[in-house]
Amino acid sequence: MKNLMFFIFFLVLLGIAGVIFIPDLEIYKEHQVNWFNSTLADDLEQSISSSYLYESSNLKHFTAKHDLRITVDLKEACLYNPQDSWDFCSRVAEEYLKGIDTLNIFKYYNLKTMDIGFYVSGRREFGEIYYFHKGKLENYYENVKLEIFTNDNKKTRELVEKREARTRKQYIKEQEKIAFGQAMFGDSRKQVWDKFAKHPAISGKRWSENNINFKLQIENQIYKIMGLYHNDELYLVNIAGNGYWENQYSDDFKKNWQALVDFFEKEYGALSSNFLESNVLKEGMIEWTHTWKIGKKVINVGISKVNSKYHAVAWIADKPVLDKINQQ
């Protein structure tokens, strides 16, 4: 029983001694920070701020809240100058070690083991590019550089893709309304005639008040061009070349067809060539060789055979309206 009471008494004394001799850690940390700020921080910051790689640090406003950790931000130039960056960080570490070299290891243990994190300015999320820890400078340059460049390239690609998508969307929105030249889908017959008459490649001859024969010239090739209307609203522009006989098919006719294809490819992009053999064409039918879709607008270029003659043909149509008419 006496032994048990003695043991309990001994534990109580140890507890009292602990309360007396264990220092307040926050006060202890504040003491260390105050010493660091008064003896080393300003000189260290002034020494390293002259480098072209230096951006900022927490040395001028170092407090206990930093958990005794120095942070240095380097300009993005450090990504392109690895040797200079390494030399700079090494010098910072050396000057720091010299500054605390005379400290009592027990009294200022935390200062002796304090970390220094070197970051690329504005890129903290990628971690330290160099890291001074327990007297050793560790190099993460290649990893951080690769992550930053990969991230930047990804963002650049995303921005370009978004910009191209917006541009493409706007282009489609504008282009799908245009039938030919200044003529728009939905224009009246008179509006189309007025706009065709002002087109530099179109000439017209009026046969009567309600009949004008328009011709379109592409390079040295001539085509007839006319509009089709529903309730006096333009929904399709028809372009047709002159007729060619069988013996002209692979020469004169092909040039006429190719000029029409080239005309639309310059505006809407090249497609694979698909010139058909004459023997696959049926009388009174059109075989489309090229198709472009721009939103609601569809452009078809092809070959028709009428009365044993071959014609290069193009349709520029407001497809929803064309489909609606075809279903009636």
Side-chain angles (χ1 to χ4, degrees), residues 52-89:
Y52 77 96
L53 294 173
Y54 177 79
E55 178 72 22
S56 63
S57 74
N58 65 343
L59 289 170
K60 282 189 174 181
H61 43 83
F62 196 79
T63 68
K65 293 181 180 180
H66 289 97
D67 292 325
L68 299 178
R69 176 180 170 84
I70 298 173
T71 58
V72 180
D73 287 324
L74 307 179
K75 293 179 180 177
E76 287 211 0
C78 70
L79 295 173
Y80 308 95
N81 299 276
Q83 188 58 54
D84 287 358
S85 301
W86 175 258
D87 291 345
F88 169 78
C89 295

Side-chain angles (χ1 to χ4, degrees), residues 112-161:
K112 279 186 172 291
T113 59
M114 184 156 54
D115 298 336
I116 306 177
F118 298 90
Y119 300 88
V120 181
S121 181
R123 306 298 190 103
R124 290 281 183 100
E125 69 270 23
F126 296 101
E128 298 96 341
I129 190 168
Y130 301 102
Y131 180 46
F132 181 71
H133 178 64
K134 294 183 178 180
K136 181 180 178 182
L137 185 62
E138 299 176 6
N139 187 342
Y140 301 116
Y141 172 85
E142 293 295 339
N143 291 338
V144 173
K145 178 182 177 181
L146 178 61
E147 287 188 28
I148 289 176
F149 282 9
T150 300
N151 181 73
D152 287 357
N153 289 337
K154 181 181 178 182
K155 285 186 176 179
T156 300
R157 286 196 304 272
E158 289 174 350
L159 288 173
V160 170
E161 288 170 359

Side-chain angles (χ1 to χ4, degrees), residues 217-276:
Q217 181 170 345
I218 300 174
E219 297 177 356
N220 61 344
Q221 303 292 327
I222 301 297
Y223 308 84
K224 292 180 181 179
I225 180 170
M226 62 179 293
L228 276 67
Y229 305 86
H230 179 67
N231 297 329
D232 198 33
E233 293 182 350
L234 179 68
Y235 72 90
L236 187 148
V237 173
N238 180 67
I239 301 172
N242 295 327
Y244 294 84
W245 297 106
E246 178 76 30
N247 60 359
Q248 299 173 297
Y249 186 81
S250 60
D251 188 8
D252 293 339
F253 170 74
K254 186 175 182 180
K255 291 178 182 177
N256 187 259
W257 169 84
Q258 188 64 57
L260 194 57
V261 170
D262 292 344
F263 176 79
F264 288 105
E265 284 191 333
K266 286 179 182 177
E267 177 63 35
Y268 301 107
L271 300 176
S272 59
S273 182
N274 192 26
F275 186 67
L276 303 174

Side-chain angles (χ1 to χ4, degrees), residues 83-326:
Q83 188 58 54
D84 287 358
S85 301
W86 175 258
D87 291 345
F88 169 78
C89 295
S90 298
R91 180 166 65 85
V92 174
E94 288 175 4
E95 292 188 13
Y96 172 74
L97 286 175
K98 287 180 181 178
I100 64 171
D101 188 52
T102 59
L103 296 182
N104 182 294
I105 191 169
F106 297 106
K107 188 174 182 180
Y108 298 110
Y109 174 76
N110 281 337
L111 288 181
K112 279 186 172 291
T113 59
M114 184 156 54
D115 298 336
I116 306 177
F118 298 90
Y119 300 88
V120 181
S121 181
R123 306 298 190 103
R124 290 281 183 100
E125 69 270 23
F126 296 101
E128 298 96 341
I129 190 168
Y130 301 102
Y131 180 46
F132 181 71
H133 178 64
K134 294 183 178 180
K136 181 180 178 182
L137 185 62
E138 299 176 6
N139 187 342
Y140 301 116
Y141 172 85
E142 293 295 339
N143 291 338
V144 173
K145 178 182 177 181
L146 178 61
E147 287 188 28
I148 289 176
F149 282 9
T150 300
N151 181 73
D152 287 357
N153 289 337
K154 181 181 178 182
K155 285 186 176 179
T156 300
R157 286 196 304 272
E158 289 174 350
L159 288 173
V160 170
E161 288 170 359
K162 287 180 180 178
R163 185 163 57 247
E164 288 178 345
R166 286 195 299 269
T167 302
R168 178 64 180 169
K169 188 175 181 181
Q170 182 63 29
Y171 171 79
I172 290 173
K173 187 176 180 180
E174 295 171 354
Q175 283 290 322
E176 68 180 358
K177 301 175 183 178
I178 300 172
F180 191 89
Q182 298 300 313
M184 312 291 283
F185 291 118
D187 282 352
S188 68
R189 181 178 275 97
K190 185 178 184 310
Q191 288 174 318
V192 173
W193 285 355
D194 290 343
K195 291 175 180 179
F196 276 6
K198 296 175 182 179
H199 196 289
I202 297 176
S203 58
K205 183 177 180 180
R206 183 182 290 274
W207 294 99
S208 66
E209 184 63 27
N210 295 315
N211 186 9
I212 301 178
N213 182 14
F214 287 105
K215 290 186 177 180
L216 169 68
Q217 181 170 345
I218 300 174
E219 297 177 356
N220 61 344
Q221 303 292 327
I222 301 297
Y223 308 84
K224 292 180 181 179
I225 180 170
M226 62 179 293
L228 276 67
Y229 305 86
H230 179 67
N231 297 329
D232 198 33
E233 293 182 350
L234 179 68
Y235 72 90
L236 187 148
V237 173
N238 180 67
I239 301 172
N242 295 327
Y244 294 84
W245 297 106
E246 178 76 30
N247 60 359
Q248 299 173 297
Y249 186 81
S250 60
D251 188 8
D252 293 339
F253 170 74
K254 186 175 182 180
K255 291 178 182 177
N256 187 259
W257 169 84
Q258 188 64 57
L260 194 57
V261 170
D262 292 344
F263 176 79
F264 288 105
E265 284 191 333
K266 286 179 182 177
E267 177 63 35
Y268 301 107
L271 300 176
S272 59
S273 182
N274 192 26
F275 186 67
L276 303 174
E277 296 294 333
S278 61
N279 58 10
V280 304
L281 299 165
K282 297 179 181 180
E283 182 70 30
M285 302 295 291
I286 302 175
E287 292 289 341
W288 300 122
T289 60
H290 296 74
T291 299
W292 293 267
K293 294 180 180 179
I294 306 94
K296 297 177 182 178
K297 178 168 72 175
V298 62
I299 301 170
N300 289 308
V301 174
I303 304 170
S304 72
K305 185 178 182 180
V306 180
N307 297 326
S308 299
K309 283 189 174 182
Y310 301 94
H311 302 260
V313 180
W315 282 9
I316 310 166
D318 183 334
K319 195 168 188 309
V321 179
L322 177 61
D323 291 343
K324 183 178 180 181
I325 292 171
N326 288 335

